[in-house]
Amino acid sequence: MSQEQLYDALLDALYATFGNHPGFRVAHAKGVLVSGVFTATPEAKRHSRAAHLQGEPIPVLLRFSNFSGVPATADGDPMASPYGLAIRFTLPNGVSDIVAHSFNGFPVSTPEDFLFFLQGIAASGGETPNSAALDAFLAGHPQAKSFLEAPKPVPHSYVGLSYYGVNAFVFENDLGQQQAVRYRIEPEQPELPAQADEVANWEVDHLQIELAQRLAKGDLHLRLVAQLAESGDNIADGSVAWPQSNKSVVLGVFTLKELLPPDRQLETQQALNFNPARLPDGIKASADPMISARQHIYEKAMIRRNSL
Ligand code: HEM
């Protein structure tokens, strides 16, 4: 199978799971856009010469989303997790994105394995379920098994949990020094997850409503953190989290100011396509094969969702 065929097959597998919803993303279909500003810490520029890490305020758009490719998925539904956070930085000479989710890892390390995983999940559901392929896959892929079995807590707020970039990127500073990093976006104060009995009474759009209510009271803040790779860490395998003891650097703070107005929300979301491989000078992709795969798949996904 060529790379092109692999990417199309991955999109086919996602469409088979979630169905056709013209205009909507086939994953993370339901979302909400917030505008704000990112301001880097003085330490950030020591690690990368990227334009948004030099300390000037940078306009940003943040899209919080539910994992499912079904737009009507309730915010407290198990299929809403991992929750997504995509960030668009508008730099003086272009744009750059971060695309993260609320799980510190991914079920697999390559796009090929992701296809086996999705096909196994599809075969184990539906009218004539057959879990043999999925069982065999999980037996040989412990990260995929632990991803499926890991608790997926429902947050009280889209700004109350941490999001992880999963795939590693390489920072380069003015001196040409390089450092592999993984992103984490975290709340100012950690918040406890919601309890199942509360979530059972939530409205379908509970987290969107909660975000609007919080923003109506004033600006909100999230930190952008880079976890630094240490010797022995696997740069190319996003399915394995690096040790928590690794050094982390606070790169800056997002100040979330306002929701896009309701009449511009959907249209603007559908027209945007975030891409984790859209990088400025001073940040490049690591050896992780998922970055190039995601680059091409997200480009294809945008074209496909707009031509359904
Ligand atoms: C081979 C692996 C992956 C595949 C095939 C895949 C597939 C997709 C597709 C097709 C979309 C919709 C894009 C669009 O229509 O604009 C999407 C969106 C998204 N993905 Fe992935 N993805 C992969 C890995 C990841 C990873 C590792 C993460 C987390 C770090 C992630 C988080 C997200 C998020 C948050 C969105 C929504 C972005 C937005 O708000 O526009 N994905 N993914």
Side-chain angles (χ1 to χ4, degrees):
M1 188 185 278
S2 69
Q3 291 299 100
E4 285 293 305
Q5 287 167 329
L6 171 65
Y7 302 151
D8 284 327
L10 276 162
L11 286 176
D12 291 344
L14 287 167
Y15 274 103
T17 307
F18 294 119
N20 283 359
H21 305 281
F24 287 92
R25 288 158 177 75
V26 68
H28 295 269
K30 177 180 174 183
V32 60
L33 279 175
V34 181
S35 61
V37 170
F38 173 76
T39 311
T41 57
E43 191 174 358
K45 61 174 176 285
R46 295 215 291 271
H47 296 273
S48 168
R49 59 176 181 269
H52 57 306
L53 300 181
Q54 305 312 300
E56 297 298 318
I58 300 287
V60 284
L61 262 182
L62 294 89
R63 181 175 184 267
F64 295 93
S65 60
N66 296 345
F67 162 69
S68 163
V70 177
T73 302
D75 295 350
D77 188 293
M79 287 303 284
S81 179
Y83 296 89
L85 174 54
I87 302 161
R88 163 71 44 97
F89 297 87
T90 300
L91 309 176
N93 56 353
V95 295
S96 179
D97 299 336
I98 291 177
V99 184
H101 70 183
S102 62
F103 188 82
N104 189 10
F106 201 68
V108 293
S109 58
T110 65
E112 288 82 0
D113 273 354
F114 197 39
L115 184 58
F116 287 126
F117 180 69
L118 289 178
Q119 289 172 337
I121 288 180
S124 63
E127 284 173 10
T128 49
N130 180 350
S131 64
L134 183 62
D135 291 344
F137 183 80
L138 295 180
H141 295 81
Q143 305 305 337
K145 191 162 187 290
S146 46
F147 178 88
L148 286 182
E149 289 170 356
K152 312 269 180 333
V154 177
H156 277 115
S157 172
Y158 279 129
V159 292
L161 74 173
S162 292
Y163 298 87
Y164 302 86
V166 175
N167 305 119
F169 293 87
V170 179
F171 279 7
E172 188 172 290
N173 66 13
D174 276 335
L175 304 171
Q177 294 164 326
Q178 298 195 346
Q179 166 74 53
V181 305
R182 283 179 180 169
Y183 293 117
R184 185 168 77 242
I185 299 105
E186 58 185 29
E188 284 190 303
Q189 302 291 337
E191 297 182 11
L192 290 175
Q195 299 298 315
D197 54 348
E198 306 173 59
V199 175
N201 295 317
W202 278 8
E203 290 182 58
V204 167
D205 297 332
H206 177 89
L207 291 176
Q208 295 202 356
I209 296 164
E210 194 274 350
L211 189 59
Q213 287 170 345
R214 274 204 198 196
L215 280 165
K217 291 188 205 139
D219 293 349
L220 299 172
H221 299 99
L222 292 170
R223 275 191 296 267
L224 177 63
V225 176
Q227 187 188 24
L228 310 186
E230 295 187 359
S231 63
D233 290 338
N234 193 338
I235 310 293
D237 183 350
S239 73
V240 180
W242 294 342
Q244 282 188 359
S245 54
N246 281 24
K247 189 177 173 212
S248 286
V249 172
V250 179
L251 296 174
V253 173
F254 296 101
T255 303
L256 283 61
K257 295 197 164 289
E258 54 191 7
L259 290 173
L260 258 65
D263 59 339
R264 285 184 47 221
Q265 272 287 347
L266 191 60
E267 182 195 345
T268 313
Q269 287 186 49
Q270 312 302 58
L272 271 167
N273 80 321
F274 294 93
N275 198 311
R278 192 172 285 126
L279 301 169
D281 176 55
I283 304 177
K284 61 182 184 183
S286 70
D288 187 332
M290 292 292 252
I291 298 174
S292 160
R294 291 177 73 194
Q295 173 178 7
H296 294 102
I297 291 163
Y298 290 28
E299 283 167 6
K300 276 179 176 284
M302 165 84 168
I303 295 168
R304 189 150 158 183
R305 68 176 143 94
N306 286 327
S307 57
L308 287 178

